[in-house]
Amino acid sequence: MAVNRMFRTCPSTGLLFHEPAEKLMKAHAVAAVVSLLVGGILALGVTLTRWQAVHLLSPDWFYLFLTAHGVDMLVLWIIFFEIAILYFASSTLLRCRLATPGLAWVGFWLMILGAIMNNYAIFSGTSSVMFTSYAPMGAHPAFYLGLILFAVGALIGCFVFLGTLVVAKAERTYNGSIPLVTFGAVTACIIAVFTIASGAIILIPTFLWSVGLVEHIDSLMYRTVWWGFGHSSQQINVAAHVSVWYAIAAIVFGAKPMSEKVSRGAFLLYILFLQLASAHHLLADPGLTSNWKIFNTSYAMYLAVLASMVHGLTVPGAIEVAQREKGYNRGLFEWLRKAPWGNPVFAGMFISLIGFGFLGGISGVMMGTEQLNLIIHNTIYVPGHFHATVVVGTTLAFMSLTYFLIPVLFRRKMLFPKLAQWQPYLFGLGMSAFALFMMGAGTLGVPRRHWDISFAGNAMPYEFPGAAWLMMALTALAGLAAVVGGAIYLLITVGSVFFAPRVDVPDFKHVRAAEGIAPAPAPVAAAIAAHHPNVGMAGFVAPGTLVLAMVFLISFILYYFVNWKYLSTVWPLS
Amino acid sequence: MSAILPPEDRVWWKQPLDRVEGTWVVIALIWCLIMFFMMPYWHVFGKQNLANEAYRTTPEVYMKKAQDMVDKFTVRTETDQKIPVVAPPAGSDVYLVARLWSWWPILELEAGKSYRIHLMSMDWLHGFSLQPENINIQVHPGYDHVLTVQPTRAGTYSIICNEYCGINHHTMSSKLYVK
Ligand code: HEM
Ligand SMILES: [Cu+2]
Ligand SMILES: [Cu+2]
C-alpha cells in the first residue's frame, strides 16, 4: 500500500499536519466533544438531584445517570481527546507522517463501538453499577465488553503513537531529542499501556463472570486491580494535561522549559512511581496491612506528588521567564499582570494549573494519607477532589487547547470570540467553587453517590447538620454555573467546527514530503552558561513563581495539619 | 527553542539547574518526606489507626456469631421491624452485619470503654459511615474486619451506607447509641 506523505503547513503557526493524521485528530476530537455533551447533560440531571430542594430524578434514573456521567466523562471524553493529543504530539510536533493510519482508524472505530455498547448497557437500565462496577454487584455483559473494546481501541492508538515515534526517528524528521511536550505524551502513553493491561486483567474475568463462565470474583481483589487501572488512568490525564500546559506556554509565550532536565525528570517520576498508587483507594479496606498501604501510597504517590509540584513550578516559571525576557521584568508580578487574560487559551490553562494544584493536589494528598482517609473515605469530598483534578485540571486544559486547535487544526474562524473569553472563567471558577463546596459537604459526612440525604420515609434517618444542606445547595449552584460554562464551550466548538467560515489562505497547498521533513539543524547553543542573562530578581530568574509556590506550600502545610488535628478528635480506633 | 520543539541544546541534560527550580525541588522533596513520616508517626503516637485485623470467612459463619451475640445481649427492640438493640459488655466482640439494605443489629455501647467491632457484608460492598463522627470504612463480603473502637462521647449516632450498593443504597441507615 502506498504511504500517504501529503502534508499541509498551518500558515499562522508553521505547524505541519500529515493529512491522515489530521483527519484522525479531527475524528477523535469530535467524538470527545460529543461525549462531553452527553456527559454534561447527565451532569445537569445528577447535580439537580443532589440539590435536595430540587431532587429532580427518581432513584433509578439518578443512579443510571451517575453511572453514565462517570463513564462518558472520565472515560470517553478524556480518552478520545487524549488520543487526538497523542497524534498531535507525535505526527504534528515531530513533522512526521503518522504510522499506519489504517490501523489507527480500526482503533477509532473500536472505541466508538465500545462506547456505544457500554452506553447501551447503561441506558437499558441493567447496568447502574457506577463506572467502578465493583464486583460482586454485576452489570450487563455488554457493559464490560464495551469497556474492553474501547480499551483495545485506545491501546491501538497508543501503539500507533509509538510507531510514529519510530518512523520519525528512522526518517530523521527532527534533530536531537523529541520535544518536551512529546516526551510528556510518551509518558502518558507508557502509563496508558500499563493501565490498559490492568484494566484487561480485571475486566476480562469480570466479563466472563457476568456471562457465567467464572465462578467468583473476590471483592478485594477486584478493588485492588481495578484501581491499578482506575488510578493510573488518572496519571495519564495528569501527564497529558501537564503536556498541554507546556504546549500552551510554548504556543502563547514562546516559553521554553526552565530546564529540560528537571521537567523531563519529573515526567519520568510519573512513570516510575505510580504503579501501586491504587493503594490510596484502599486505605479503608480490610485485608491489607498498614505497611502495604503506607509503602504503596508513599513511595508511589509522594514521588509522583513531587513530580507534580515540580511541574506546577516549572510551567509558570517558564512563562515568567518568557514574559520577563519580553520586557515585563518589573517587580514580582508584572509578568503575570500583563499576561493575555483575555485569551481563552492562556486563561483556561492558567486556571487549570492553579485549580489543579491548590484544590485537586492538596485535597488529593490529604485523602491519600492512610489515617486521614478515615474521615473522608466515600464522602462527597472525593468527587469534590476529582472534579478539581480531572475537570478543572484536565478538562479545562483540553478546552483551552481546543481554542487553539479550531483555527489551526479545523481551519475555522472561532465563533463568539467574546463568549470564548469568558468561558474559562465561568467554567473554571464555577467548577472550582463546585469542588470546594463538595469538599465542605464531605467534611460534614455527606456521602457520595447518594440519592437522598434527607432519608425521607426511613425508620432511622440521620439528620445532617444545616451546614451540610447549605453546602449541597451551593454545590448545585456552582455546578449550574459550570454547566453553563460547559455549554458555552460546546456551542463555540460545535458551532465553529461545523458552521463557521473557513480560514482561507491564498497560497495554501498540500506539500509532498519524500522522507519526512527535517528542520534545519539547530545552531549549536553557545550560551549554556548565559542562560536567561538579565531577567529576574535577586539571582532568581522567576521570583514571582517562587513566591506563588511558597504560598502554595504554606496552604498545603496548613491544610494538611488541620486535618490531622481534626482526625485527633474522632473516636480512638485501633 | 520551546517545549514543542526539540531542545536547542543537544546535550540538554548538561544544562545547569536553575536556582528557582533547585530550591523548589529540595523544599518539595523535604515536604514529601515529612508527609511520609507522618503516617508511621501516627501509628506510634496517634490514636486513630486501623489495626488491619481481618479474617476471611463466610456469611453463614459470620451471621451465626452475630446471632449468638444478639441472643445473649439484646436489651430491647426498636422500630416496626423489631430490630434488636444489643448492649454487649465492654471489651467483647461485637458483630455488625451489613446487607442489602440494612445494618443489623443496633448497637448500644458505653462511652470510654473499648469494643472489638466486626464489620462484614453478606452480599455486596457497603460503606460503614458513622455520623456525625465521620468515621468511614469500606465493608467487604467475605472479610471480617475488626476495629477496636472507643466511643468518647455519649449520644445517639447514625450509621449510614456510603458505598453505592444498589437501588436502595440511600435507605441503608441505622443507629448507634453511646451511653
Ligand atoms: C459542569 C460539569 C460537571 C458537573 C456539574 C458535574 C457534577 C457531578 C455530580 C453532581 C456528581 C455526583 C457526585 C455524587 O453524587 O457522588 C458527579 C460525579 C462524577 N463526575 Fe462530574 N460533573 C461535571 C463534569 C465532569 C467531568 C468533565 C468529568 C470528567 C472528566 C466528571 C467526572 C465525574 C465522575 C467520574 C463522577 C463520579 C461518578 C461516580 O461516583 O460513579 N464530571 N459529577
Ligand atoms: Cu450499603
Ligand atoms: Cu450503600
Side-chain angles (χ1 to χ4, degrees):
Chain A
M1 203 177 70
V3 175
N4 180 338
R5 293 184 191 279
M6 296 305 277
F7 287 82
R8 118 182 131 76
T9 309
C10 169
S12 44
T13 57
L15 288 173
L16 205 62
F17 287 96
H18 179 226
E19 262 186 5
E22 188 179 2
K23 289 209 183 76
L24 278 157
M25 282 181 236
K26 285 183 183 173
H28 284 86
V30 169
V33 168
V34 171
S35 315
L36 185 68
L37 170 66
V38 178
I41 295 169
L42 298 163
L44 188 62
V46 171
T47 305
L48 288 179
T49 308
R50 292 236 50 173
W51 187 3
Q52 294 276 340
V54 178
H55 219 211
L56 182 69
L57 302 169
S58 63
D60 47 343
W61 279 102
F62 171 75
Y63 293 125
L64 188 157
F65 266 44
L66 190 52
T67 306
H69 172 70
V71 171
D72 290 356
M73 290 297 208
L74 193 63
V75 183
L76 307 189
W77 144 251
I78 297 273
I79 295 181
F80 272 124
F81 204 96
E82 275 164 356
I83 302 286
I85 291 181
L86 286 187
Y87 294 162
F88 180 83
S90 55
S91 168
T92 308
L93 293 186
L94 297 179
R95 311 163 75 81
C96 171
R97 69 182 171 85
L98 192 77
T100 62
L103 199 59
W105 282 111
V106 173
F108 174 75
W109 287 112
L110 271 177
M111 286 167 80
I112 295 280
L113 180 67
I116 292 175
M117 190 183 277
N118 175 279
N119 266 260
Y120 175 78
I122 297 174
F123 282 98
S124 71
T126 51
S127 303
S128 298
V129 293
M130 305 296 136
F131 73 102
T132 42
S133 55
Y134 291 139
M137 180 191 292
H140 191 277
F143 179 93
Y144 308 107
L145 191 59
L147 284 181
I148 293 168
L149 292 181
F150 185 86
V152 172
L155 191 62
I156 291 176
C158 290
F159 285 120
V160 171
F161 167 80
L162 294 174
T164 307
L165 297 187
V166 174
V167 172
K169 188 103 204 145
E171 299 186 352
R172 304 170 61 78
T173 64
Y174 63 97
N175 293 298
S177 308
I178 55 175
L180 178 61
V181 170
T182 311
F183 191 85
V186 174
T187 306
C189 175
I190 292 174
I191 299 172
V193 172
F194 166 82
T195 300
I196 295 172
S198 307
I201 294 174
I202 195 63
L203 286 175
I204 292 175
T206 309
F207 167 67
L208 296 176
W209 169 73
S210 73
V211 294
L213 290 176
V214 165
E215 215 19 62
H216 173 75
I217 299 274
D218 181 79
S219 62
L220 182 61
M221 184 279 290
Y222 183 95
R223 270 173 59 81
T224 310
V225 185
W226 195 92
W227 280 112
F229 162 64
H231 183 77
S232 337
S233 58
Q234 302 321 307
Q235 210 73 38
I236 308 175
N237 300 342
V238 175
H241 77 227
V242 169
S243 305
V244 169
W245 293 344
Y246 278 115
I248 290 179
I251 290 163
V252 176
F253 300 97
K256 57 185 148 201
M258 297 181 78
S259 72
E260 297 275 352
K261 185 166 46 182
V262 171
S263 299
R264 286 173 199 241
F267 274 124
L268 211 57
L269 284 180
Y270 282 154
I271 303 182
L272 296 177
F273 293 109
L274 97 148
Q275 314 313 42
L276 279 165
S278 73
H280 66 244
H281 292 267
L282 307 167
L283 295 174
D285 285 44
L288 303 162
T289 66
S290 284
N291 290 344
W292 187 87
K293 290 174 180 175
I294 292 179
F295 179 73
N296 286 310
T297 47
S298 56
Y299 105 87
M301 206 172 88
Y302 292 158
L303 289 173
V305 168
L306 177 67
S308 292
M309 286 174 77
V310 169
H311 289 305
L313 175 96
T314 58
V315 174
I319 294 176
E320 177 170 356
V321 172
Q323 285 281 77
R324 284 180 183 276
E325 284 178 343
K326 262 184 224 140
Y328 301 122
N329 195 23
R330 254 179 300 132
L332 273 178
F333 293 114
E334 193 192 13
W335 63 277
L336 194 57
R337 276 201 315 277
K338 295 282 167 65
W341 293 102
N343 175 353
V345 180
F346 166 74
M349 172 257 151
F350 209 80
I351 297 172
S352 156
L353 177 100
I354 299 290
F356 178 77
F358 276 85
L359 299 177
I362 294 179
S363 62
V365 174
M366 189 285 273
M367 298 194 310
T369 305
E370 193 204 2
Q371 295 90 345
L372 294 180
N373 189 260
L374 287 172
I375 52 178
I376 57 92
H377 180 69
N378 270 348
T379 66
I380 202 156
Y381 189 101
V382 178
H385 152 74
F386 66 68
H387 280 82
T389 57
V390 89
V391 187
V392 182
T394 312
T395 300
L396 187 55
F398 290 0
M399 286 176 168
S400 322
L401 187 68
T402 322
Y403 292 128
F404 165 74
L405 290 178
I406 288 172
V408 170
L409 173 65
F410 289 93
R411 284 191 285 140
R412 300 284 185 161
K413 281 221 167 57
M414 195 165 75
L415 294 183
F416 315 117
K418 271 269 167 286
L419 263 174
Q421 287 193 347
W422 286 102
Q423 193 274 339
Y425 296 95
L426 188 57
F427 185 78
L429 301 181
M431 210 63 214
S432 301
F434 173 85
L436 263 176
F437 291 134
M438 268 196 178
M439 291 180 203
T443 311
L444 297 169
V446 176
R448 70 184 290 196
R449 300 172 164 177
H450 200 278
W451 179 69
D452 183 18
I453 60 164
S454 76
F455 299 94
N458 203 304
M460 291 179 283
Y462 173 59
E463 228 175 278
F464 274 101
W469 287 72
L470 178 66
M471 286 292 166
M472 291 308 288
L474 292 172
T475 297
L477 290 175
L480 290 180
V483 167
V484 173
I488 294 177
Y489 168 80
L490 291 167
L491 175 74
I492 296 169
T493 47
V494 175
S496 304
V497 166
F498 292 104
F499 305 108
R502 283 188 174 277
V503 176
D504 272 325
V505 188
D507 53 353
F508 171 77
K509 61 179 186 301
H510 283 282
V511 290
R512 189 181 159 80
E515 283 300 322
I517 300 177
V524 181
I528 289 194
H531 212 57
H532 327 304
N534 8 336
V535 298
M537 289 160 68
F540 290 107
V541 290
T545 302
L546 196 60
V547 169
L548 285 181
M550 287 304 162
V551 171
F552 171 78
L553 186 72
I554 291 166
S555 328
F556 197 165
I557 293 173
L558 287 178
Y559 185 70
Y560 183 75
F561 284 111
V562 162
N563 279 285
W564 281 106
K565 178 93 187 82
Y566 171 28
L567 177 72
S568 73
T569 64
V570 308
W571 292 1
L573 282 172
S574 56
Chain B
M1 145 77 218
S2 77
I4 55 171
L5 296 174
E8 205 170 316
D9 308 337
R10 292 200 65 146
V11 281
W12 49 264
W13 52 91
K14 291 222 178 117
Q15 185 186 321
L17 209 77
D18 186 85
R19 250 176 88 187
V20 173
E21 283 181 312
T23 314
W24 180 244
V25 170
V26 171
I27 295 175
L29 182 64
I30 293 173
W31 172 234
C32 288
L33 286 173
I34 293 174
M35 291 193 297
F36 167 72
F37 283 113
M38 271 311 285
M39 294 187 284
Y41 168 86
W42 202 261
H43 272 283
V44 180
F45 298 103
K47 293 221 176 78
Q48 293 79 11
N49 291 290
L50 289 182
N52 295 299
E53 182 182 351
Y55 306 94
R56 281 195 133 277
T57 179
T58 61
E60 294 73 35
V61 171
Y62 188 87
M63 198 62 201
K64 174 149 191 333
K65 289 180 179 164
Q67 189 65 56
D68 288 349
M69 172 194 76
V70 168
D71 292 344
K72 266 199 227 144
F73 303 117
T74 298
V75 287
R76 61 178 184 276
T77 61
E78 279 190 9
T79 77
D80 298 345
Q81 292 131 41
K82 305 253 177 300
I83 304 170
V85 178
V86 179
S92 69
D93 285 283
V94 180
Y95 294 87
L96 185 62
V97 173
R99 60 189 174 194
L100 300 171
W101 285 280
S102 62
W103 300 99
W104 187 87
I106 298 171
L107 305 178
E108 188 170 277
L109 309 176
E110 269 181 69
K113 303 278 167 57
S114 70
Y115 298 85
R116 282 168 55 79
I117 296 190
H118 295 243
L119 296 173
M120 190 171 116
S121 161
M122 300 295 105
D123 32 61
W124 294 346
L125 285 174
H126 295 283
F128 172 89
S129 177
L130 182 74
Q131 298 300 339
E133 208 51 26
N134 208 8
I135 294 174
N136 305 281
I137 292 163
Q138 192 78 36
V139 184
H140 281 261
Y143 292 84
D144 171 353
H145 190 187
V146 193
L147 317 166
T148 307
V149 175
Q150 194 186 328
T152 46
R153 287 169 291 270
T156 303
Y157 294 81
S158 284
I159 300 171
I160 61 175
C161 178
N162 70 3
E163 179 60 79
Y164 172 67
C165 54
I167 188 67
N168 285 326
H169 160 56
H170 49 273
T171 62
M172 189 166 162
S173 81
S174 177
K175 292 242 169 296
L176 186 150
Y177 297 103
V178 177
K179 283 200 303 195

